[in-house]
């Protein structure tokens, strides 16, 4: 059996890609951000430290659900900003279950995707739990009118990619890198052909 990891640099389009692959491959998606948003809404946080802890909990829940699907022999997609520190969790799962893994890493022109990152962080559609750091849900009457643009500089954005391994993460199996500088120019049929060829290889 197999699983597909959709990962990559911040704002490269991981959620969009995972949704497309889920529809085309008829596979369920487990998204860490989706889990985090449920925790934000139902548990909330009162400090940056508590927010970080909810992120850790989201990762552990994601791995737990993946393990349950592996027990049942189901193929699935994991969508997350996997990084070097994510390796132990994935390796632990793969030691328990003999799954083949395909990592699809989204990357592209850093400067272009950084602008998407800034736009995403300032968008009213961005879940507020990702944007604020001190308290969520925000206290009545004290919340800002809307999300503010991310304060992270371009230099720190690039440094985070390099140091945390958003492009380099590949815990096992094959990695396919996809340039999402212009999402509309992605050859999705070619990507699906590569996935189909990989599935055939690992099933032999």
């Amino acid at each position: 059996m197999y699983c597909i990891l959709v990962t990559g640099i911040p704002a490269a389009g991981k959620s969009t890609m995972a949704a497309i692959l889920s529809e085309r491959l008829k596979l369920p998606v487990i998204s860490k951000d989706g889990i985090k948003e449920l925790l934000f809404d139902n548990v909330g946080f009162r400090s940056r430290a508590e927010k970080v802890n909810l992120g850790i909990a989201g990762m552990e829940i994601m791995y737990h659900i993946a393990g349950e699907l592996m027990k049942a022999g189901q193929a699935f997609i994991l969508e997350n900003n996997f990084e070097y520190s994510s390796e132990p969790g994935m390796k632990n799962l793969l030691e328990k279950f003999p799954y083949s893994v395909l990592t699809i890493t989204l990357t592209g022109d850093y400067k272009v995707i950084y602008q998407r990152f800034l736009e995403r962080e300032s968008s009213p559609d961005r879940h507020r739990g990702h944007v604020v750091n001190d308290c969520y849900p925000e206290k009545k009457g004290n919340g800002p009118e809307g999300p503010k643009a991310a304060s992270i500089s371009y230099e720190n954005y690039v440094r985070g990619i390099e140091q945390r391994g958003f492009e380099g993460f590949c815990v096992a199996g094959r990695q396919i890198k996809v340039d999402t500088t212009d999402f509309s120019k992605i050859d999705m049929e070619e990507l699906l052909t590569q996935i189909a060829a990989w599935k055939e290889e690992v099933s032999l």
Side-chain angles (χ1 to χ4, degrees), residues 39-46 132 135-140:
L39 291 173
F40 291 161
D41 289 339
N42 291 279
V43 179
F45 55 83
R46 292 174 293 178
V132 299
C135 184
Y136 183 85
E138 293 153 305
K139 295 178 181 178
K140 187 176 180 180

Side-chain angles (χ1 to χ4, degrees), residues 7 15 20 29 41 57 65 67 72-73 75-76 90 101 110 114 124 136 143-144 152 166 173 175 179 202:
T7 186
S15 297
I20 293 171
V29 176
D41 289 339
I65 296 171
F76 58 91
M90 281 305 305
V101 181
Y110 285 180
Y114 172 68
Y136 183 85
I152 183 173
F166 291 132
Q175 181 184 41
D179 188 327
V202 299

Side-chain angles (χ1 to χ4, degrees), residues 1-6 14-31 65 69-70 72-79 99-104 191-192 195-196 198-199 202:
M1 192 46 66
Y2 69 92
C3 65
I4 296 173
L5 310 185
V6 177
K14 294 181 289 294
S15 297
T16 300
M17 176 62 75
I20 293 171
L21 293 179
S22 173
E23 180 179 357
R24 296 294 297 272
L25 300 173
K26 305 303 179 187
L27 295 177
V29 176
I30 310 168
S31 166
I65 296 171
L69 289 173
M70 287 174 159
Q74 299 293 315
F76 58 91
I77 298 168
L78 289 185
E79 184 263 309
Y99 264 54
S100 298
V101 181
L102 173 63
T103 301
I104 297 178
L191 176 58
L192 289 166
I195 293 173
W198 171 79
K199 287 168 59 180
V202 299

Side-chain angles (χ1 to χ4, degrees), residues 5-6 29-36 39 55-69 76-82 86 89-90 93:
L5 310 185
V6 177
V29 176
I30 310 168
S31 166
K32 190 190 80 171
D33 270 1
I35 295 169
K36 281 172 59 178
L39 291 173
I56 294 170
M59 181 73 81
E60 292 302 317
I61 292 169
M62 182 186 72
Y63 286 144
H64 173 75
I65 296 171
E68 291 301 305
L69 289 173
F76 58 91
I77 298 168
L78 289 185
E79 184 263 309
N80 178 40
N81 56 331
F82 288 101
S86 308
M90 281 305 305
L93 282 175

